[in-house]
Amino acid sequence: MGKKKPRPRRSFTPDFKAEIVELCRRGDRSVGPIAKDFDLTETAVCDWVKQAEVDAGERDGLTSSEREELAALRRENRRLREDVDILKRATAFFAQETR
């Protein structure tokens, strides 16, 4: 059996996601048909609906702004760790030079 070719990663605007979430919330159709009509995966649509519920305070979890802040803090933390590592190596190098 041949494997399916992986779908290329796509990005969607917040407005588009909000429209899809609104369609799901209306209740006229379930997630499956909506995802199929817009050539989306059901998992992605379900994730968008869940995130919208978290942002609206209807569900527990990290809001979108909290997720963005967490990602920024993790990037900064990684950069600072790299800076410290560079300084440690430089200190060790110069300590050997003075001996």
Side-chain angles (χ1 to χ4, degrees):
M1 288 198 239
K3 283 190 171 184
K4 277 182 154 182
K5 197 173 186 182
R7 176 182 272 195
R9 189 158 188 86
R10 301 179 292 173
S11 61
F12 302 97
T13 64
D15 290 338
F16 178 77
K17 291 179 183 181
E19 286 182 41
I20 299 298
V21 168
E22 183 58 34
L23 285 173
C24 293
R25 284 188 169 181
R26 276 192 217 143
D28 300 342
R29 298 183 292 166
S30 64
V31 171
I34 292 171
K36 193 171 189 173
D37 288 349
F38 289 92
D39 191 31
L40 303 167
T41 63
E42 286 186 44
T43 305
V45 174
C46 286
D47 288 346
W48 296 348
V49 170
K50 287 177 188 173
Q51 189 60 51
E53 290 172 352
V54 169
D55 290 344
E58 301 167 2
R59 179 187 281 245
D60 288 337
L62 294 176
T63 64
S64 296
S65 60
E66 290 171 335
R67 284 181 183 275
E68 290 171 12
E69 181 182 11
L70 181 60
L73 290 171
R74 285 182 174 165
R75 278 191 303 274
E76 182 182 9
N77 195 2
R78 184 173 42 250
R79 187 186 58 78
L80 292 172
R81 286 180 191 270
E82 289 170 358
D83 290 350
V84 166
D85 187 49
I86 290 169
L87 290 172
K88 282 181 183 178
R89 283 188 266 143
T91 302
F93 174 79
F94 288 117
Q96 279 185 337
E97 289 281 316
T98 58
R99 288 184 190 176

